[in-house]
Amino acid sequence: RMEYAVRGKIVMKAEQMQEEGREIIYTNIGNPHGVGQSPITYYRQVLALCDLPAENGVDHPDVYKLFPKDVVDRAREYRSAIGPCGTGAYTHSQGVALFRRHVADFISERDG
C-alpha cells in the first residue's frame, strides 16, 4: 500500500486546525519561499551560467557587470567539468568527477 507522505496525517490535522481558524506555517512541504525564506541567489546564478550558452553567460563581454566574480569563477570551473551541454545532460553514472572530488575533499577535511 502506498501513501503520499506530504498528504499524510500531520498535514491533514494541520488543514483541520487551519479550518478552525488556527494559523499554520507549513514547513514540511519543501517550499522555503512559502514561509518567507529568500532565494539563495548564489546557487541560482551559478546554475544559470552553467546552463546558458557560453556567449550569453560566462563568455559574455559584460559578465562581470551582470554577475559577481565568485559566481562567474565557479560557473567556469563547473562548465569545464560538465561540458557545454550544461547541467541537464547525462553524466557518468557516478556523477561528475569534479563534484565527486569536492565531496570527497569535504568529507576528508571534516572527518580527518
Side-chain angles (χ1 to χ4, degrees), residues 77-78 81 94-109:
E77 176 188 21
Y78 286 178
Q94 293 178 333
V96 176
L98 175 70
F99 302 162
R100 293 193 331 259
R101 178 82 262 145
H102 283 184
V103 170
D105 290 347
F106 171 81
I107 292 170
S108 293
E109 185 175 319

Side-chain angles (χ1 to χ4, degrees), residues 38-74:
S38 297
I40 303 174
T41 304
Y42 175 81
Y43 300 105
R44 290 178 176 207
Q45 290 176 331
V46 170
L47 283 172
L49 288 175
C50 285
D51 288 333
L52 281 168
E55 63 273 10
N56 297 329
V58 293
D59 292 339
H60 189 278
D62 293 326
V63 70
Y64 289 108
K65 293 178 185 174
L66 301 169
F67 294 92
K69 182 182 183 319
D70 61 332
V71 167
V72 176
D73 292 346
R74 181 60 55 109

Side-chain angles (χ1 to χ4, degrees), residues 78 81-83 85-100:
Y78 286 178
I82 62 177
C85 295
T87 61
Y90 284 104
T91 65
H92 186 284
S93 62
Q94 293 178 333
V96 176
L98 175 70
F99 302 162
R100 293 193 331 259

